[in-house]
Amino acid sequence: MSVPFLILAAITIAAAVAAMTLRKLVHCALALAVCLVGLAGLYLDLGAEFVGLAQVLVYVGAVVILIVFAILLTRSDEHQSHGSSRILSGVAVSACVFGVLAWAVVTSGTKESPNAMLPQGAMKQIGVALMQRYVLPLEIVGLLLTAALIGAVVIAMEEKQNTK
Amino acid sequence: MLGEGIIKGLVETARNFFGSYTSKQRLTTVQFPDERLIQPEATRVFPFLVFDTDDAEKGLRCVACKICEVECPPQCISIVKSADKKPDYSGIYAGKPQFYPSKFDIDVSVCMSCQICVEVCPFDAIKMDTAFELSTDDRFGGLLWDKQRLARSNEYYRSIHPTEAAEVDAQLAAKKAKAEAKPASAAPSGDTTAR
Amino acid sequence: MTPAVDQIFVNIKHWAVFHSPAAMRPAVSVLLSIVPILAVFPGLFAVTTVLERKGLARMQNRYGPNRVGPFGFLQPLADGLKSLTKEDIVPTGADRLTHFLAPLLLVMTAFLEYAVIPIGRNMTVANLDAGVVLFFAASAAMELSIFMAGWSSRNKYSMLGAMRAVAQMISYEAPLILSSIAVVMTAGSLSTVTIVEKQAGYWGVWPYHWYVFTPWGLAGFILFMICATAESNRSPFDLPEGESEIIAGYFTEYSGFKFALFFLGEYLGMFAISGLAITLFLGGWAAPLSFLTFIPSWIWFFAKLLALIAVFIWVRGTLPRLRMDQLMNFAWKFMLPMTLVVILSAGIWRFLPQGVARWLICAVPIAILYILLGRSLMGGRKLEKRTYRFAE
């Protein structure tokens, strides 16, 4: 529990809470960006350079921008409705999710692996692992992304034809 | 080929860049007011009234015929004809006294420098000046010029438009010669009353 | 003698750290690494603004600013004073916090990019194992700040400008990263220091190992520079901030110092990406000819940086602005396939033996795709001199 870890964890949690409670939707998206940067900081604190930087590159640089664009292009300045009847079910669902995740983390056994990789070799190990041991998931993810891209293009094209 | 136009454009701008240090053609800026361009002779800015001798009142060529006031498109000239007549100092009118403008105002903020007043004046009394640095901070009368401000001597006219002034002088001299010749050939009755 | 001059800043830093009390050593070391960056690059920004104005002016047959100081070189001082003393106007309906944070975030991420650029021998602020990824992560965060600027101004033109800017920057990020992947593949490392080291060495007089002298490196360098121009929102890709199109785009509602910060952030981004281009393709701080190595490495880095800035200014003065759809077409239909072929060519390069044949074989796929794309994307329109038909 070192000082950098505490600070980063505090930033991440505060940003996550802000992302849930702020009124304007774009503010929530920006708070989400801060939360993801906090997570990237946690990865860097653990010495996983590539993962931390890729987290910023992919999440903040692409996912948050996607979310923000989606908000902008689909909503106008509306106030979100705070239905008080939904709080109870929300708490129940999030407690279940938290329980599942906590059980998964606690029983995964990552605490006891002493042979953490040296930073010098980590990049190469990741590359080798992706190309040798995990090549099937890599290709499947690539296929999935290609399908999503083609799907987006097809939907946009159809809309253009519809409006013409 | 794709990219050919871009390369040509880059070469041209590079030539401009390096040429601007060597040739005047590629750096056409004139740093006013340290350097000035030579104005062509036919430059026209705002009108002025010509007077012949040293005296702005006596030598003024304008006889208040009001043609320029009528022809001016934005109607920026305002003339009041005099009640009396002044004697003929120039000799063009064979000694007959002529009217003169008691008030001749040009609103220079309205004037559009079209030179129509110059073209229609039968007496070569109003010509175009070339001075353009005329800024004033007097917003209520600074650009409404009266007769005194507008009158400039023929010497000045000759200095700014030499060829035109030479032609005008020749024409006026011919008119004067004709006017002098006429009373000599007419009956020597000395009758100077207007018909 | 020359290694001493070359390492003069490193030695000064070591001396200062050594002579400071032990408790303060980390802080002193960090400060001494960062403060020169914070001092030098904004100074370079000031000089670049006046050089750009004068350079553009000369290309357009006129003088640039030449009244303030000798030949106008104190103009940045006048500009700085002006931007500091102008009133800071925030629109009434604007989102004050985001409006305030956007220029800060821009400048912060722009400075972050300098952490991994080797400015001289042993002169990198942070020798990260994944330095190139940090650079691209920081430039991705820059896009977010531009979006924040446009959205917080509550002005539909700013919003439009911001969306266009973000769309443009995202589109050009793909070819940017892909063209740097070819270099990373060949160098075998994501660390900028390692990439520069792999390009060291001379073959006679010639710096043989610079990646720009390979066919995929040359094509990659040109593609990288085009994407860098687009990422920095510079002409001919400056539609988001085009003055005649959309007033000032996403920074319409900014005045005074915040505007100056935006300007600073954009130029810093331009310098950083030029620095990365120098690191990846032009051999970093290495001297171009082997007998010129007596000149210190950091001088070579800045010389190459100034040359690339001159190229940016040259291109700005030459090309007209691209329209949004032309911009996007160019990115997705031309740049992306070209970068994929560059990666392919770099891969082939690795497995062929050295020699002229390798150069020619690797140049072939790039040349073929270039010609094919050129033909097909022009759409059969021949660019000829325009003829006019006048009314009789």
Side-chain angles (χ1 to χ4, degrees):
Chain A
M1 293 298 234
S2 55
V3 173
F5 173 76
L6 286 173
I7 296 177
L8 286 168
I11 290 177
T12 310
I13 294 179
V17 169
M20 287 188 300
T21 55
L22 285 177
R23 237 179 295 150
K24 275 197 197 157
L25 209 50
V26 179
H27 284 172
C28 299
L30 293 174
L32 180 69
V34 174
C35 170
L36 294 168
V37 168
L39 275 178
L42 285 170
Y43 291 142
L44 287 172
D45 187 39
L46 287 170
E49 279 178 17
F50 180 69
V51 181
L53 296 172
Q55 162 95 356
V56 175
L57 183 58
V58 170
Y59 271 103
V60 176
V63 172
V64 170
I65 290 186
L66 173 69
I67 291 175
V68 154
F69 259 85
I71 293 174
L72 276 177
L73 293 175
T74 54
R75 294 177 70 97
S76 55
D77 284 321
E78 304 168 13
H79 277 299
Q80 296 167 268
S81 53
H82 293 287
S84 59
S85 62
R86 291 195 225 146
I87 289 185
L88 204 56
S89 51
V91 169
V93 169
S94 50
C96 289
V97 172
F98 180 71
V100 169
L101 283 175
W103 174 81
V105 168
V106 163
T107 59
S108 71
T110 49
K111 279 197 304 188
E112 301 112 23
S113 59
N115 51 345
M117 278 172 218
L118 292 170
Q120 277 91 342
M123 273 305 314
K124 196 160 180 166
Q125 301 275 6
I126 292 178
V128 167
L130 271 178
M131 281 295 145
Q132 289 183 352
R133 191 168 159 208
Y134 296 104
V135 70
L136 189 60
L138 180 72
E139 296 299 330
I140 292 179
V141 167
L143 201 62
L144 193 65
L145 286 173
T146 311
L149 192 62
I150 295 178
V153 169
V154 165
I155 290 179
M157 243 170 45
E158 272 188 27
E159 276 184 12
K160 205 167 78 164
Q161 280 181 9
N162 276 348
T163 53
K164 268 209 169 165
Chain B
M1 254 278 281
L2 189 67
E4 195 182 343
I6 298 181
I7 307 283
K8 277 197 209 157
L10 287 174
V11 165
E12 184 59 36
T13 19
R15 223 188 259 156
N16 261 356
F17 181 79
F18 292 113
S20 74
Y21 287 104
T22 51
S23 79
K24 195 77 184 122
Q25 198 195 17
R26 293 211 184 243
L27 185 65
T28 48
T29 312
V30 169
Q31 296 199 63
F32 189 88
D34 301 330
E35 317 165 350
R36 283 153 204 266
L37 285 173
I38 304 175
Q39 286 180 308
E41 199 195 307
T43 302
R44 61 183 198 236
V45 185
F46 292 127
F48 71 97
L49 291 171
V50 191
F51 61 82
D52 273 314
T53 52
D54 286 333
D55 195 335
E57 294 288 331
K58 294 190 190 154
L60 200 67
R61 288 187 199 164
C62 177
V63 295
C65 68
K66 293 203 187 191
I67 292 183
C68 59
E69 184 186 15
V70 164
E71 294 290 331
C72 176
Q75 295 168 353
C76 66
I77 305 183
S78 148
I79 301 176
V80 170
K81 203 169 191 160
S82 61
D84 57 333
K85 294 194 181 186
K86 70 167 194 236
D88 176 22
Y89 294 106
S90 62
I92 304 177
Y93 308 107
K96 284 194 267 211
Q98 300 294 321
F99 288 109
Y100 63 93
S102 62
K103 179 171 96 94
F104 194 114
D105 288 345
I106 294 186
D107 189 350
V108 156
S109 64
V110 175
C111 171
M112 61 185 199
S113 313
C114 60
Q115 209 176 262
I116 289 183
C117 52
V118 173
E119 289 171 18
V120 300
C121 179
F123 303 101
D124 298 304
I126 186 170
K127 296 290 177 190
M128 292 306 269
D129 200 350
T130 56
F132 58 89
E133 292 167 40
L134 301 166
S135 304
T136 172
D137 52 358
D138 173 18
R139 64 159 93 168
F140 296 111
L143 290 176
L144 182 67
W145 292 352
D146 59 354
K147 188 169 62 163
Q148 220 169 351
R149 170 77 172 84
L150 286 170
R152 295 237 182 278
S153 74
N154 198 23
E155 299 298 321
Y156 176 71
Y157 180 42
R158 237 181 255 138
S159 69
I160 55 174
H161 296 295
T163 359
E164 274 182 44
E167 282 176 23
V168 166
D169 283 345
Q171 284 171 7
L172 287 178
K175 272 195 204 171
K176 189 166 172 184
K178 208 161 78 164
E180 274 165 13
K182 238 208 334 282
S185 59
S189 60
D191 187 9
T192 56
T193 53
R195 285 180 207 275
Chain C
M1 197 264 285
T2 39
V5 178
D6 190 31
Q7 298 294 294
I8 189 170
F9 299 107
V10 181
N11 292 336
I12 291 176
K13 181 185 158 186
H14 284 320
W15 178 88
V17 171
F18 186 66
H19 285 279
S20 57
M24 289 196 5
R25 274 199 194 145
V28 169
S29 168
V30 163
L31 275 177
L32 279 180
S33 294
I34 297 178
V35 168
I37 304 263
L38 290 178
V40 165
F41 284 100
L44 188 63
F45 158 71
V47 169
T48 302
T49 47
V50 71
L51 280 180
E52 167 165 34
R53 287 169 74 174
K54 290 193 79 66
L56 279 177
R58 288 278 167 170
M59 283 189 237
Q60 296 164 353
N61 298 340
R62 58 184 172 90
Y63 295 99
N66 60 355
R67 297 281 146 174
V68 188
F71 294 106
F73 275 94
L74 288 182
Q75 182 74 28
L77 209 64
D79 284 338
L81 272 177
K82 172 199 80 168
S83 60
L84 280 174
T85 53
K86 269 198 182 168
E87 181 191 352
D88 184 29
I89 303 172
V90 178
T92 339
D95 189 356
R96 289 195 81 97
L97 187 64
T98 323
H99 194 85
F100 182 73
L101 285 180
L104 294 185
L105 183 66
L106 183 72
V107 174
M108 236 170 60
T109 48
F111 272 122
L112 194 59
E113 293 175 351
Y114 288 98
V116 291
I117 295 181
I119 298 176
R121 196 174 278 122
N122 304 332
M123 277 165 72
T124 317
V125 172
N127 185 2
L128 289 180
D129 205 29
V132 177
V133 186
L134 175 87
F135 189 92
F136 293 128
S139 77
M142 248 163 99
E143 301 167 15
L144 198 61
S145 83
I146 287 182
F147 167 75
M148 275 164 67
W151 180 79
S152 65
S153 304
R154 211 181 176 184
N155 176 353
K156 54 170 111 52
Y157 295 109
S158 297
M159 195 64 248
L160 263 179
M163 293 213 290
R164 281 178 175 178
V166 173
Q168 172 187 310
M169 288 172 99
I170 290 182
S171 311
Y172 280 93
E173 227 182 287
L176 183 78
I177 299 183
L178 283 175
S179 52
S180 67
I181 279 184
V183 171
V184 167
M185 245 169 58
T186 314
S189 161
L190 275 171
S191 155
T192 46
V193 175
T194 315
I195 293 177
V196 170
E197 277 169 14
K198 288 258 159 70
Q199 298 182 65
Y202 298 91
W203 188 56
V205 163
W206 198 244
Y208 190 62
H209 299 281
W210 285 9
Y211 293 133
V212 76
F213 293 127
T214 61
W216 53 267
L218 187 60
F221 178 60
I222 295 176
L223 292 167
F224 192 94
M225 289 311 284
I226 298 176
C227 293
T229 325
E231 286 285 318
S232 322
N233 284 343
R234 263 187 89 80
S235 207
F237 299 102
D238 64 347
L239 189 66
E241 61 181 50
E243 276 161 15
S244 41
E245 252 86 30
I246 198 170
I247 307 162
Y250 53 87
F251 43 72
T252 310
E253 300 290 346
Y254 284 90
S255 57
F257 195 56
K258 290 187 193 155
F259 183 77
L261 275 182
F262 264 111
F263 218 49
L264 174 73
E266 296 220 345
Y267 273 72
L268 284 179
M270 182 176 100
F271 297 155
I273 217 167
S274 308
L276 191 71
I278 293 172
T279 307
L280 292 177
F281 295 98
L282 290 176
W285 40 255
L289 300 168
S290 68
F291 53 85
L292 290 175
T293 41
F294 63 93
I295 300 180
S297 55
W298 38 273
I299 290 193
W300 279 121
F301 179 83
F302 281 106
K304 292 178 196 175
L305 188 63
L306 285 174
L308 283 184
I309 291 173
V311 169
F312 272 127
I313 295 175
W314 190 13
V315 168
R316 180 180 176 174
T318 308
L319 295 176
R321 194 173 283 150
L322 282 180
R323 225 171 43 215
M324 198 64 197
D325 61 323
Q326 291 171 335
L327 222 149
M328 303 292 266
N329 276 345
F330 189 56
W332 293 104
K333 291 187 188 169
F334 181 79
M335 304 276 292
L336 198 58
M338 287 295 293
T339 45
L340 292 175
V341 164
V342 161
I343 293 180
L344 179 72
S345 177
I348 300 176
W349 177 271
R350 189 183 157 79
F351 292 106
L352 289 177
Q354 270 200 356
V356 180
R358 174 166 75 154
W359 217 99
L360 289 173
I361 293 177
C362 290
V364 162
I366 301 178
I368 290 180
L369 187 66
Y370 180 70
I371 294 175
L372 279 178
L373 279 177
R375 286 254 176 86
S376 68
L377 288 177
M378 301 276 266
R381 278 171 292 152
K382 285 167 42 104
L383 292 177
E384 40 192 36
K385 226 168 130 70
R386 235 182 239 198
T387 52
Y388 296 94
R389 197 175 55 121
F390 293 106
E392 291 301 321

